[in-house]
Structures are given as C-alpha cells and as structure tokens.
Amino acid sequence: MSEGTLQRVEGDVAVATRGELGHSMESAPGLLPGELRPHPSPFKYVVIAVVLCIVTAIEIGTSYLEGDIPNGLLIFLLLAMALFKFVGVAGWYMHLQTDKPLFRRFFILGCVAAVILYTIVLATLSVFAA
Amino acid sequence: MATIEQTAEVGGPPSQGTPGHDPHATSTGVTNTKLAIWLFLSSDCLFFGAFIASYLLYRGRDVSGPGPRKLFDIPFTSATSFILLMSSLTMVLALAAIQRGDHRRVRIWILATALLGATFIGGQVFEFTEFSREGLHVSTNLFGSSFYLLTGFHGAHVTIGIIWLLSLWGMSTRGRLPTKKAESVELAGLYWHFVDVVWIVIFTVIYLIPQPH
Amino acid sequence: MTTVTDEVAVVKVHEPIIVLRRPKSTTGVWSWFTTVDHKKIGIMYGAAALIFFLVGGIEALLIRLQLFQANGSVLTASQYNELFTMHGTTMVFLVGMPMAVGFGNYFVPLMIGARDVAFPRINAFGFWVVCAGAIFLYSSFIPGVNGVPNGGWFGYTPLTSTPIDAGFLPGHGPDFWSVGIILLGIGSTTSAINFIVTILNMRAPGMTLMRMPVFVWMMLVVAFLTVFAMPIITVALIMVFTDRNFGTLFFSPAAGGDPLLYQHLFWLFGHPEVYILILPGMGIVSETLPVFSRKPLFGYAVVVFSGIAIGFLGWGVWAHHMFATGLGPVAVSAFGLSTMLIAIPTGVKIFNWLGTVWKGAVRLTTAMLFSLGFIAMFTIGGLSGVLHSIVPSDTQQTDTYFVVAHFHYVLFGGLMLAVFSGMYYWLPKITGRMLNERLGKINFWTMLIGFNVTFFPMHLLGLYGMPRRTYRYDTGLGWEGINQVVSVGAFLIALSTLVFLSNVIVSLVMKRGEVAGDDPWDARTLEWSISSPPPEYNFAEVPEVTNRDEFWHHKYTEDDEGHLVPIPSGGAYGSTDADKHDGHGIHLPSPSIYPLVMAFGLLPIAYAAVYQSWIPLVIGVLILLFGMYAWGIEPSTEEA
C-alpha cells in the first residue's frame, strides 16, 4: 500500500474513489462544487436586478401612502416587499436556491433564530403592547 | 480575512493513501471555505439583529432632540439604496465572469462593485454630516445612539467589503486570480450580498416604516 | 483502483511572494509560536486554562479569606468587587471555554480520523487571540492602571454603563472588561466556525454523524451555540462601551433608555454560554464511562439527541436570570416552564450514563472516579437548578448564596470534575505517560470532599438570606460559622489542586510515570489506535470506519453468547506499519507566524479603545493589515 505524494498541481485530475462520505468536488458535469443545480445565467441576474429595482420603487411609493391606508396594512406591505427582495438576493445572487441545501439551512437557522429571539425580547419589553 | 486558505485548502483528509485521489473531497461535498463563510454570515445575522431590535425598542421614546421624521430624506436614501442594490448585480456578474474565465470582465465588474459601494458610503457620510449639522449626535437621544451605531456598523461592514474587493482586483491585475480560484470571488460576493441584504432590512424597517409621532 | 500518473502537468506557477521567511521547524521553543498543528494548539489551550484555573482559584481564596469572619478586613470593598468580577470572568472565559477548546482541538480531529482541523492557521489565530485577551484583561492589574474589571462578570447596567466621569464606577474597569471579552469573543467565534467545518467536512470515510463519538457531537453543538451567542454579547458590550465613553444613551433611564435591554442581551448570550461550558464535560464523561465500564454508551442516539435538544432549548430560558426584574406574570411563567422543560433532556442523559455503568465491568480508575463524581455533583446542581425554575422560589433565592451554590455545583462539580476526568484519561495519550493512580485517588477524594465542604453549606447560607457580591457581613446573623466551614473547604480544594499539579509534574514533566503505550485503557475510539503521543500526521493511513466505537470493533468481536473475543490481528491500526511509516509523502500544513502577528495586532487596538488614543490604534491596524495580507499570500503548505 503506497502513500501517494500530494502535489497540488493545477489541473489535477480528481477521481472519486471513496465510498460513502467521500464527496468529490467534481460532482456532476457542468456543475461547480457545492451546486445542486446550475446557477443562473448573467441574463437572469440582470432580470432579477430589474425586478428588485421595480419592487424597491413600489416599496418607496407605498411608504408615501402613510395616513391614507391603515398603519398595520402599510407595515405588512413594506415588510412583505422587503422579504421578497431579501429572498431574491439571498436565493439567486447568493445561490441559495441552486446550491446544496446545507448553506440554506444554516442561514435560515441564523435568520429565524434572530427574528424569534429578538421578537421575544421586544415583546417582554412591551414594544408590541397597545 | 480576505483570501485565507484559498491557495490550498485542507479539504478533507488530505491523503487517502490512494494516489491520484481528489485531495479536496469533503464529507459533505461542499468546500470548507464556503461552509465557513455561511456560518460567519449566520452569526452576523444575530449581530445586526441585536442593533435592529434595539432601534425598534427605542423608537418613539426620545425625550428630546431631533427625530427621524424631521431628519430622514427618503428620496436621498432611496437613491443610495438603489446604488447598493445595483452593486449586488455587478458583484454577481463578476462571479459569473470568473467562472467562465473572462478575467477582463472580472476586473471591470469587481471595480464597478467597489465603486458603487464607495458611492453608497459617500452617501452615508453625507447623511451623517447632514444629521449632525441638524443637531443629531450619538449622545443626543436614543434615536441618535441606535441609528448611528446600527448604520455605522453596517457602513463599516461595507467598507471592509470594499477593501476586500479592491484586494481581489489587485490580485487579478497581477495575474494571481486564475479561474481555479473563482471561489475567492464567490466568497467575497457572499459577504457583499449579505451586507446588501442587511441594508434591505434596515432601509425598510428604519426608514420606510411609518415613524412614531 | 486508481493508478499514479507520472505525467507532470505543465503549470504556470507564480513565484510565491516571501514577506517574512517562512518558519519551517516543528520542534523547539519557537515552533510553539508558529505551530498550526491542532495537537500543539490544544496543549497550549489546556496549559493556559490550567494556569488561569490557578489564578482564578487564588482570587477565590482571597474572597474566602475576606468572608471567613464577620466584618472581615482582608480586602476593601473595592478590591472585593475586583476579585469576584475577575474570578467569574477568568473561570468562564479563561478556564472553562479554553479548556473545552483545548480538549476539542486535540481530540476532535483524532476521533473523526482527520489529520488536522479545517483551517489550521485560523486555529492558531484563535488561540493567540485568547492569549492576547488574557494579557489584556490581566494587564489591568498593573499598579496605576486603575482598570481592573469591577462590575461583576455579567456587568449589569447602568452601573457599568454610566459615563466614565459620572462616578458610578470610576476608572477603566468596565472598559477593560467589555473590550477584553469582545477580544476573547473573536477567538471563540473563529474556533467555533473551525470546529463546525472540521466536524462536518473532514470525517474519515464511513464516519457518519451517528458513528461519531459523543464528545465530537457535543463539540459540534457547542460550536453552534458559540457562533450564535457571541455576536449578541458583542453588541451588548459595544453598547456598554459606547454609553461609557461616547455618551450613547442605550441604558440611560433619564433619556428613555432601558437597562433591562442589557440584561436581555447579556443573558441571551449568557444562558447558551453555560451550556457551552457544560456540554464538553458531558461529552468527556460520555467517553470515559463506557471505557471504564467495558460497555458501550447506553442509548447513544438518545444521548446525542438530548445534547441537541439542550442546545435548542437552551435558547429559550434566558430570562430565568431576570425573574426578579419585574418582567410580568406572562413572561416569568413562560420562562419558568421552559426552564423546567430543559431539565428533561439533561435528566435523560444522567439516566443513560447510569445505564452505561450498570452491570458493567467497572474499573475505578481516577478518571472513572472523577466521572462518577461528575454524575453525582451535577445531579445535585441540576436539582438546585430546577428549584430556581419555580418562580416564587427563585424570587427568594436570586442574588443569594443559593445561586452561588447551584452554579458551582454544575460548573465545578460538573464541568471541572469532568475536566479532571479528561486529564487522567487523555493526558497519557498526549504525553505518552500515565499519571500516578495513588496520587490521583488522593486528588479525587480531597477534591470531592473539599468541594462539598465549600459549596454545600452555601445552599444554607442562601436560604438564611446571605446576599451575593457583598464584601462583608455583620455578626449576629448566624452566617459566620457556616462561612468559616466554606472557607476551610476552599483551602482543601486548593490542597487537592496542588496534589494534581504534583502528579502532573512528577509523572509527566519529570517523566516518572509509567509509559502509556498506544492504548493503556483498552478504549473504544480512534485516538487510541495510534501512538502516544501521536505522530505529527496523526494517522499513517486514514481509517475506513464501519462502526460506532470503530476502534473497539477493530479489536474485538462477539461470539454467539455475546462474550468479547479479541481479534488476533486487531489492536492499533497498522501499528506495525506505523513503525515503518515515517510520514513520508504526507504533506501537512506548514507553520506560520501570521496568526500570532494578527492576534497581537488586535492588542494595541484594544488599548486604543480603552484610552481613546490614535497611536496604538494606527499601530494595531497596520500590524493587523500586514498580518492579514501576508497570510493571504502565503500558501497553506510549503513544499519541503
């Protein structure tokens, strides 16, 4: 049983010989390591950017409706649009939608933990009290 | 923090005793560095969340001093927010460029991102000086304390991002950012998009949501 | 099977930029400053933790001297405040956490069959940051600095947050404290990320998550807790610092601020923190009990899931530290219930440990005694904890010595006894020599007795109304006699510690202990399959894992009646190969000076913060940037 010398040479041919738990970085043809599906194309990125701009414009416009619509509804709409943009950037620009689920799970864990914990803190300090 | 471990990753047990074996294979199939940066970003959610929560707690509780109604210039901040949003586009285009080996474009898009980011910071600096001239300092009231610290730390994150991007740009001009190191750009991109995403939250929650009277 | 290709790919290799000459040596004193080897880093963490255990212990003894008599005059009130603050801060941040990270650093890669952690240089950086943080905190003791932290290890506002010139806590105590902990937090967070990536990504082939040793599982849970908890306290500390130094109003009631915000942020960190402290200890005894009972851990899956459950539930109980702050009946009821709930997975683990020992072929080695002691003492601490979950009861007990008794039972009787167990169990692997068993037993019994004499009476003191954090008490309250017993017990603990230290010095440093060999305990996990101490590259060949307790199954199989049958060719993995194998062909990450440089760039920045001075700030930032860029350019492995 010989010990192969490990040379980090550019263009090393990687051959996956391991059984379980030896995920090679060359997963499937056309996919980069860590990807589950192909990432969006540059054209799609631009399209997403345009959508995000439009939503931002709508958001800003909506904020000027203060006083014309109930505050609760206004806040709901603004938060919904912010969430839409959040998911747009995180899902597509950060590739959470096309990468392996592991990243998505950790990030959602962090976001959810932050929202729940801080909401409880604010509730305890009577921020939501009438 | 910029390009740590990006030249040769210790991904997985380096030697399997089998010659020619993939030296970068990991138990999950994702690289160490990408996993690490996602963990860091998840951690940063708690950091910004605490400042945002404190801002929300102290909304409308000022005893004196100027408040957001008086000071906020929504059109101005909308413009800077657009700029930061567009910088996310240029960032992801930089990543796409390096993934297909177009190094000239990589440099263009990275520089564009850094410039847009710097413009955003310029806008922040302008906003802070304006508010300061109108009498808002960290010690004026709760709004001052919570607003400046939240947006200040956000701005610090953007600034670090700009330095990171300029470092990558510098490496690329010297030929030290080959296609096989595309992940370096990806990692910087993830950080950059995160900073943008935090701003999306801040812009809505602090600027747009109706201010208390 | 693949074949080696002899082709040399034509490569455009850039000349590496040499900023500073790369250290190459892995032996000698200097190599400790440049090492990126997880084993050396683990040893340094453990040594630092032990040193600070002594320092924190001396702080405790001074406290006990002051409280020996009513109206004691050994210490002034001011000195007393500094000592109990530093005792707590030291024990939590400079003993408990580094000790766990030390054991974790050394053994997690070994237990999962890896050659190092995912980011060896960041690993070194984490250690040097902890070092810098410790130096920073303790430099406050230098005469004339007037900056010893004195607001309690928890630093409640507005005591700590009123501006420095407003008189509540003059001097720089809270500044050294807040900045020091932020600095330590940087080290902890980077280590935690390193552990998560290592455990998830670098397991040997066949090592599924459910085949990992429980100690590894606990380190994984702890790492997640750290990653999510440290940012919260960082924000709280930043706010304290800016309130104090820049006039922000976060905790200023006059301006509408709420000091309770601080308590929420602090305990949102603080409660997960105590699980960060105890879970590694639970992991250690989950390793020792099976070995010394010659039985697999009872209910492995349940123990693992209980650990994960504690990790989750631990986020939902923080306000039980605030029951007396006027939260209102809804909040206190909710948190009281959640606190009771967390007793369930904890209790489940205790039953599993008992089930492991039950009907096992028990060997009462020192390590085993400490582990059994852990179960008993931690149970007592857990019971007093459940008493705290009953809100009306806690309203009486909070801020009294009853609480002091509780957390010392779980942290000393729990964590520290587990640590001592780990020392006796694992130091032979680390050093190649056994600790003396006779001295060990004296160590154990004096520790157990001393500990109980010190902390059990505190339950009574608390119920008799003696408050915490007060530097003296009057005569006629019925407290003096008990306090004297407590103080005597503390000195007995000190004596026991001296016994431990002599054991270490005689057996390990002077090398009079028995040679350990690869597997002195006939143990179950992979670290025992290699030499003691392990070679630099850990495993000659990365093991293929097919079982939980892989090494045990490598050594033994069972016959039809369930009796153990040794496998003739079993024993240390390729131990004969290891003799012939000199690590040739295995390339390990090379040493580096930049982690140290970066960590010590942070130090002047910390001083700059406290004194608001530009010069150390600029110097620190320059060193930091230099270290960062030089590190970024340096490849992780130099070709030899």
Side-chain angles (χ1 to χ4, degrees):
Chain A
M1 191 106 47
S2 56
E3 289 299 316
T5 308
L6 188 62
Q7 292 288 351
R8 289 184 174 82
V9 174
E10 192 159 359
D12 208 4
V13 174
V15 180
T17 54
R18 277 199 253 185
E20 50 181 318
L21 287 200
H23 300 284
S24 163
M25 299 322 251
E26 315 298 327
S27 25
L31 287 182
L32 294 167
E35 283 186 350
L36 201 59
R37 289 185 281 275
H39 60 258
S41 63
F43 177 71
K44 197 153 177 209
Y45 289 140
V46 176
V47 167
I48 292 168
V50 170
V51 170
L52 290 173
C53 281
I54 294 173
V55 172
T56 307
I58 296 174
E59 211 186 340
I60 295 166
T62 309
S63 75
Y64 281 100
L65 291 178
E66 189 186 342
D68 300 332
I69 61 176
N71 257 5
L73 177 63
L74 181 60
I75 292 174
F76 173 78
L77 288 172
L78 291 174
L79 287 178
M81 285 187 266
L83 184 63
F84 179 85
K85 286 159 63 183
F86 188 109
V87 170
V89 175
W92 275 276
Y93 286 175
M94 296 171 90
H95 296 142
L96 283 181
Q97 281 285 59
T98 52
D99 275 349
K100 292 195 172 165
L102 191 61
F103 305 126
R104 196 159 49 224
R105 289 174 188 157
F106 286 154
F107 190 61
I108 290 175
L109 187 63
C111 291
V112 166
V115 169
I116 292 179
L117 293 174
Y118 293 126
T119 304
I120 296 177
V121 171
L122 292 179
T124 314
L125 293 172
S126 306
V127 164
F128 306 115
Chain B
M1 184 172 61
T3 47
I4 293 168
E5 302 291 344
Q6 50 98 358
T7 38
E9 296 157 40
V10 185
S15 169
Q16 287 302 300
T18 314
H21 194 96
D22 180 0
H24 298 296
T26 60
S27 314
T28 58
V30 305
T31 59
N32 287 346
T33 38
K34 197 163 165 181
L35 187 54
I37 200 141
W38 273 111
L39 288 167
F40 168 71
L41 295 181
S42 309
S43 175
D44 230 6
C45 290
L46 276 303
F47 181 84
F48 280 108
F51 276 118
I52 294 173
S54 305
Y55 180 91
L56 291 175
L57 174 67
Y58 287 148
R59 248 160 58 97
R61 291 203 195 183
D62 296 315
V63 165
S64 63
R69 267 192 191 279
K70 175 166 180 258
L71 292 174
F72 280 167
D73 180 350
I74 301 296
F76 179 80
T77 316
S78 304
T80 54
S81 303
F82 265 114
I83 289 171
L84 195 63
L85 199 56
M86 286 307 102
S87 73
S88 260
L89 173 64
T90 53
M91 183 72 237
V92 80
L93 289 175
L95 176 61
I98 195 173
Q99 281 170 342
R100 60 171 192 271
D102 185 346
H103 291 282
R104 223 189 107 247
R105 285 266 152 71
V106 175
R107 287 192 283 277
I108 292 173
W109 290 126
I110 286 183
L111 208 55
T113 311
L115 284 172
L116 289 171
T119 310
F120 173 82
I121 293 293
Q124 291 292 84
V125 170
F126 178 76
E127 194 176 57
F128 281 22
T129 35
E130 272 305 294
F131 289 4
S132 179
R133 263 193 323 110
E134 297 186 54
L136 186 74
H137 308 283
V138 280
S139 51
T140 308
N141 55 14
L142 291 172
F143 172 60
S145 302
S146 50
F147 173 80
Y148 279 129
L149 253 71
L150 169 59
T151 52
F153 271 104
H154 176 263
H157 274 74
V158 175
T159 308
I160 291 173
I162 294 172
I163 296 174
W164 190 347
L165 289 172
L166 291 176
S167 309
L168 286 176
W169 180 82
M171 282 172 64
S172 182
T173 52
R174 280 172 178 70
R176 289 180 161 270
L177 196 62
T179 310
K180 72 167 181 156
K181 287 193 192 167
E183 207 196 38
S184 300
V185 178
E186 188 178 11
L187 298 177
L190 288 173
Y191 176 82
W192 190 263
H193 296 305
F194 175 75
V195 159
D196 183 28
V197 140
V198 170
W199 186 256
I200 288 173
V201 175
I202 291 178
F203 182 55
T204 305
V205 169
I206 274 77
Y207 286 89
L208 293 184
I209 283 191
Q211 307 298 343
H213 289 276
Chain C
M1 290 302 272
T2 55
T3 50
V4 188
T5 94
D6 289 323
E7 294 168 300
V8 175
V10 175
V11 157
K12 183 164 182 264
V13 173
H14 282 275
E15 283 300 313
I17 298 173
I18 311 283
V19 184
L20 294 175
R21 201 166 38 107
R22 184 111 193 222
K24 284 200 167 43
S25 172
T26 53
T27 54
V29 172
W30 183 240
S31 73
W32 288 87
F33 291 99
T34 59
T35 185
V36 297
D37 178 353
H38 70 99
K39 298 186 290 298
K40 278 195 149 107
I41 294 171
I43 290 173
M44 289 196 287
Y45 266 115
L50 268 178
I51 290 170
F52 282 106
F53 180 67
L54 299 177
V55 172
I58 291 171
E59 287 160 349
L61 290 177
L62 288 168
I63 291 171
R64 289 316 319 171
L65 280 175
Q66 164 66 10
L67 295 176
F68 186 76
Q69 283 177 313
N71 293 314
S73 51
V74 172
L75 302 168
T76 64
S78 187
Q79 289 169 330
Y80 186 84
N81 292 345
E82 292 172 355
L83 281 172
F84 81 72
T85 303
M86 288 305 284
H87 169 74
T89 307
T90 301
M91 289 305 194
V92 170
F93 293 104
L94 298 178
V95 180
M97 292 175 87
M99 189 65 85
V101 172
F103 277 126
N105 243 311
Y106 201 103
F107 289 104
V108 164
L110 294 179
M111 286 174 143
I112 60 175
R115 289 226 167 81
D116 207 315
V117 294
F119 303 106
R121 286 178 296 180
I122 295 183
N123 201 15
F125 171 73
F127 171 72
W128 293 116
V129 167
V130 168
C131 235
I135 291 173
F136 178 75
L137 270 174
Y138 272 89
S139 68
S140 63
F141 274 109
I142 295 173
V145 168
N146 189 21
V148 181
N150 53 0
W153 87 275
F154 43 86
Y156 281 168
T157 61
L159 178 66
T160 49
S161 63
T162 46
I164 192 168
D165 45 26
F168 276 8
L169 278 181
H172 287 291
D175 304 303
F176 270 95
W177 179 75
S178 51
V179 174
I181 294 181
I182 291 175
L183 195 54
L184 291 170
I186 295 173
S188 302
T189 310
T190 50
S191 290
I193 293 177
N194 218 342
F195 273 121
I196 295 174
V197 177
T198 304
I199 293 172
L200 291 182
N201 259 5
M202 296 182 66
R203 289 166 279 144
M207 171 81 68
T208 60
L209 289 175
M210 293 307 275
R211 287 182 187 157
M212 296 195 311
V214 173
F215 178 70
V216 178
W217 262 113
M218 295 299 101
M219 292 308 295
L220 182 64
V221 174
V222 159
F224 271 105
L225 292 176
T226 307
V227 158
F228 291 127
M230 293 310 310
I232 308 177
I233 191 181
T234 303
V235 170
L237 294 173
I238 289 172
M239 291 174 170
V240 166
F241 185 79
T242 56
D243 264 23
R244 214 178 142 70
N245 290 285
F246 296 109
T248 54
L249 301 162
F250 288 107
F251 308 119
S252 164
D258 193 349
L260 274 189
L261 171 65
Y262 175 83
Q263 291 197 27
H264 279 290
L265 292 177
F266 181 83
W267 287 115
L268 264 175
F269 151 81
H271 199 85
E273 166 68 10
V274 312
Y275 293 113
I276 290 169
L277 290 172
I278 195 65
L279 286 175
M282 292 183 164
I284 293 175
V285 306
S286 302
E287 299 303 321
T288 54
L289 292 172
V291 168
F292 295 110
S293 314
R294 283 180 89 73
K295 270 175 80 205
L297 181 69
F298 188 92
Y300 168 93
V302 172
V303 174
V304 166
F305 286 122
S306 299
I308 297 172
I310 290 172
F312 270 103
L313 292 175
W315 287 98
V317 303
W318 80 87
H320 68 216
H321 299 271
M322 298 166 64
F323 279 154
T325 60
L327 294 170
V330 174
V332 298
S333 309
F335 282 101
L337 276 170
S338 59
T339 307
M340 288 180 207
L341 211 63
I342 204 168
I344 296 176
T346 319
V348 161
K349 285 187 160 212
I350 294 178
F351 283 114
N352 277 291
W353 290 322
L354 292 175
T356 306
V357 180
W358 181 254
K359 294 229 173 123
V362 175
R363 288 176 286 160
L364 289 177
T365 58
T366 307
M368 183 58 159
L369 287 171
F370 272 110
S371 288
L372 293 171
F374 164 92
I375 298 180
M377 298 299 105
F378 182 77
T379 303
I380 297 175
L383 290 173
S384 59
V386 169
L387 290 176
H388 287 310
S389 74
I390 302 166
V391 180
S393 196
D394 182 75
T395 312
Q396 178 102 12
Q397 297 152 10
T398 197
D399 279 341
T400 68
Y401 267 78
F402 196 89
V403 182
V404 180
H406 160 67
F407 65 70
H408 282 95
Y409 263 87
V410 289
L411 286 178
F412 194 140
L415 176 66
M416 285 314 296
L417 290 193
V419 162
F420 281 113
S421 178
M423 292 281 181
Y424 281 91
Y425 178 58
W426 272 325
L427 278 174
K429 170 57 58 180
I430 297 173
T431 61
R433 297 216 172 241
M434 309 295 286
L435 283 164
N436 181 280
E437 277 294 306
R438 255 198 81 224
L439 276 179
K441 290 187 169 121
I442 297 172
N443 179 194
F444 170 72
W445 288 108
T446 49
M447 182 73 73
L448 191 70
I449 293 169
F451 166 79
N452 280 289
V453 169
T454 310
F455 294 108
F456 195 82
M458 287 190 184
H459 292 104
L460 298 171
L461 275 177
L463 293 176
Y464 289 148
M466 181 171 174
R468 291 171 73 174
R469 309 167 187 153
T470 40
Y471 82 115
R472 67 180 180 196
Y473 54 93
D474 214 344
T475 54
L477 291 163
W479 299 342
E480 192 174 39
I482 305 179
N483 267 294
Q484 289 175 338
V485 170
V486 168
S487 294
V488 167
F491 278 89
L492 194 51
I493 295 176
L495 193 70
S496 179
T497 310
L498 286 176
V499 172
F500 174 74
L501 285 175
S502 358
N503 201 348
V504 168
I505 292 172
V506 168
S507 312
L508 306 180
V509 178
M510 289 165 56
K511 304 206 176 163
R512 299 243 286 262
E514 247 179 79
V515 171
D518 294 1
D519 182 20
W521 307 119
D522 196 21
R524 311 179 74 89
T525 41
L526 286 174
E527 75 271 27
W528 303 102
S529 69
I530 50 183
S531 63
S532 307
E536 200 189 343
Y537 47 83
N538 296 351
F539 298 94
E541 281 169 36
V542 175
E544 291 273 340
V545 175
T546 47
N547 287 292
R548 195 179 294 159
D549 285 341
E550 169 65 22
F551 182 51
W552 184 260
H553 289 95
H554 193 71
K555 292 188 292 186
Y556 297 105
T557 184
E558 280 184 17
D559 66 13
D560 297 329
E561 278 124 46
H563 296 134
L564 285 177
V565 175
I567 298 173
S569 60
Y573 271 81
S575 58
T576 44
D577 291 353
D579 298 335
K580 292 183 280 196
H581 194 291
D582 60 356
H584 187 72
I586 301 177
H587 284 220
L588 291 174
S590 309
S592 172
I593 190 63
Y594 298 118
L596 182 64
V597 169
M598 271 189 78
F600 284 90
L602 287 174
L603 197 52
I605 297 176
Y607 285 109
V610 172
Y611 292 107
Q612 277 122 58
S613 164
W614 287 111
I615 300 174
L617 180 65
V618 169
I619 293 175
V621 168
L622 286 175
I623 296 175
L624 195 67
L625 286 174
F626 164 70
M628 193 153 69
Y629 278 104
W631 177 336
I633 301 173
E634 180 188 72
S636 72
T637 304
E638 269 335 312
E639 302 306 319

